[in-house]
Amino acid sequence: MSLRTLPLLVLNLGGEMLYIVDQRLRAQSIPGDKARQVMNDIIGGIFNKKFVDELFKPQELYSRKALRSVFERLVHASIMRLNAPSMDKLYDLMTMAFKCQVLLCPRPKDLLLVTFNHLDAIKDFIYESPKTLNQVDVTFRRLLDTYGSLSAGELQLIRQTLLIFFQDIHIRVSILLKDKVQNSNGHFVLPISGPVPWGTEIPGLIRLFNSKGDEIRRTEFTSGGNYILPHREGSFELRGDRIIKLGTNIYSISRPVETDTSGAAKSLACHVKENSTPNPLAKEELNLLARLMGGLEIKKPLGSEAGFRLNLFTTDEEEEHAALTHPEELPYQVISIHADQDEQRNEELARIMGEFEVPEQPTQTISKGADLLAMMDEL
């Protein structure tokens, strides 16, 4: 697995989150000044220098649950609030959209163009904020410095790491279903026609070479698709035509943003499965997460600055129904061990437990896993 995947994952998911939030702000007729403030605050959090610095450090991907915590903090970096069912739905929409883009990406290097499409759209949201625009441009250059010189093999490893992160998530999204990008079982449709990746040829020709590298024979075959050569490669400059449309805003046209209820059930089952399996690196992940989120601040409305709740569902009734079915806590199985019946077993158990004892540290009476909560409280 690649240790350079996290920036692409977070920035692209962040772009999808902003598309959805913008669509819901418009759908709920939130006043323009409040809507702009919300978008500026969230984008400012995503491109905060301290946050970006932590993001670009080589590291393993977080679990899906931990990453959801990051985005919950980001979305609440403004006066806007989402309840748990709406946050679940937002995260499901984000993950399915980016998973689709990773799967349909023509070549690994085009992951950068997908990311640049997100950044281009984000700059349109904050065109009146020069300071935040500069933060986005700095992140763009950092992406180019980090990924621009990687080989195709290294970029393919990043793509595979992303696909592993998204595997087994098959939530149906109405927009993707209507565009026939997604099947009714939640799987995505891979096209068999259209432009081939830049630098490749149209399928239909097999070349045979001898030991000296000379071409000795050609054989043609029917590819079964209607392929065309791309006119040019997408631009990797700060501004330019990316050519590829993956990563652009699919919610710019006014239409419902729905996830299927059975898909939501699958998502919940996925959360339950994830949480019921102990993670031996959980504390370390929390510490990494604490450092990543240290620069993020939950904004509290002050004075005349009235906060508001954003609903990711079509109606309040749908949100209330989702809240009723949303579990307060995910179930955990507790196993009781009775080892007091045999003295020899007790001695053996005591010996094993002794090997796991960690010397107490008087200056750190709080578990390292609480670092994250402590840091959040101090913000």
Side-chain angles (χ1 to χ4, degrees), residues 24-298:
R24 295 312 299 160
L25 289 171
R26 287 186 282 108
Q28 292 185 211
S29 302
I30 302 299
D33 56 339
K34 282 190 176 181
R36 284 191 296 273
Q37 180 183 351
V38 166
M39 298 299 283
N40 283 336
D41 289 343
I42 295 175
I43 294 170
I46 295 174
F47 294 94
N48 174 281
K49 185 180 184 302
K50 184 176 179 182
F51 181 75
V52 172
D53 286 344
E54 288 294 335
L55 205 59
F56 274 84
K57 291 179 180 178
Q59 57 193 296
E60 296 278 354
L61 285 185
Y62 299 127
S63 66
R64 292 198 286 258
K65 178 184 175 183
L67 201 61
R68 183 192 180 281
S69 299
V70 172
F71 283 103
E72 188 167 5
R73 172 55 67 95
L74 284 167
V75 84
H76 289 153
S78 68
I79 59 174
M80 181 186 69
R81 293 292 175 267
L82 271 69
N83 65 12
S86 283
M87 187 64 217
D88 286 343
K89 181 171 182 177
L90 173 63
Y91 190 62
D92 287 342
L93 289 168
M94 291 157 49
T95 53
M96 289 307 293
F98 186 44
K99 178 182 179 181
C100 176
Q101 293 157 16
V102 175
L103 275 170
L104 300 185
C105 213
R107 56 176 184 161
K109 190 176 182 181
D110 288 336
L111 283 173
L112 271 182
L113 295 178
V114 173
T115 309
F116 295 162
N117 272 336
H118 281 117
L119 297 190
D120 291 343
I122 288 171
K123 288 195 286 188
D124 289 338
F125 288 137
I126 51 164
Y127 65 93
E128 295 178 337
S129 179
K131 181 180 178 182
T132 313
L133 274 171
N134 182 63
Q135 290 175 320
V136 178
D137 286 344
V138 168
T139 304
F140 179 99
R141 295 186 182 94
R142 193 160 183 176
L143 282 167
L144 208 54
D145 290 341
T146 303
Y147 300 99
S149 60
L150 295 185
S151 66
E154 290 172 311
L155 290 166
Q156 175 63 10
L157 182 59
I158 290 173
R159 183 175 182 269
Q160 287 299 118
T161 305
L162 288 169
L163 291 175
I164 291 170
F165 178 85
F166 288 124
Q167 73 177 0
D168 301 328
I169 306 178
H170 305 298
I171 301 165
R172 292 181 289 183
V173 179
S174 62
I175 289 179
L176 301 178
L177 289 167
K178 289 175 183 175
D179 290 344
K180 297 183 179 180
V181 177
Q182 191 179 30
N183 287 325
S184 58
N185 61 2
H187 293 267
F188 293 108
V189 179
L190 297 177
I192 57 170
S193 296
V196 297
W198 177 260
T200 62
E201 298 180 1
I202 293 176
L205 179 65
I206 300 173
R207 295 185 178 90
L208 299 179
F209 298 85
N210 60 20
S211 58
K212 297 180 180 179
D214 300 323
E215 184 179 326
I216 57 175
R217 192 169 75 236
R218 292 188 175 194
T219 304
E220 294 185 357
F221 67 93
T222 303
S223 63
N226 184 21
Y227 297 101
I228 58 173
L229 288 172
H231 298 297
R232 63 183 185 278
E233 185 179 23
S235 171
F236 288 87
E237 300 298 323
L238 186 60
R239 293 171 182 82
D241 186 357
R242 313 301 177 193
I243 304 297
I244 190 171
K245 298 304 178 186
L246 297 172
T248 55
N249 191 351
I250 62 173
Y251 308 105
S252 54
I253 301 173
S254 180
R255 48 184 175 177
V257 183
E258 294 299 323
T259 51
D260 188 83
T261 52
S262 61
K266 288 179 184 178
S267 175
L268 178 58
C270 178
H271 294 325
V272 172
K273 181 179 178 182
E274 243 185 2
N275 281 272
S276 62
T277 305
N279 180 4
L281 300 177
K283 287 186 178 181
E284 184 61 28
E285 184 177 66
L286 279 173
N287 288 332
L288 290 171
L289 196 59
R291 291 198 294 273
L292 182 64
M293 298 170 71
L296 303 180
E297 176 185 0
I298 289 183

Side-chain angles (χ1 to χ4, degrees), residues 296-337:
L296 303 180
E297 176 185 0
I298 289 183
K299 185 169 184 178
K300 297 179 180 179
L302 299 173
S304 60
E305 194 179 60
F308 65 93
R309 179 179 62 86
L310 191 70
N311 185 359
L312 263 287
F313 295 82
T314 307
T315 64
D316 288 341
E317 288 74 16
E318 286 185 24
E319 187 181 45
E320 290 170 4
H321 176 72
L324 291 173
T325 58
H326 190 273
E328 293 293 330
E329 290 185 16
L330 295 172
Y332 291 86
Q333 184 179 5
V334 179
I335 301 175
S336 299
I337 300 175

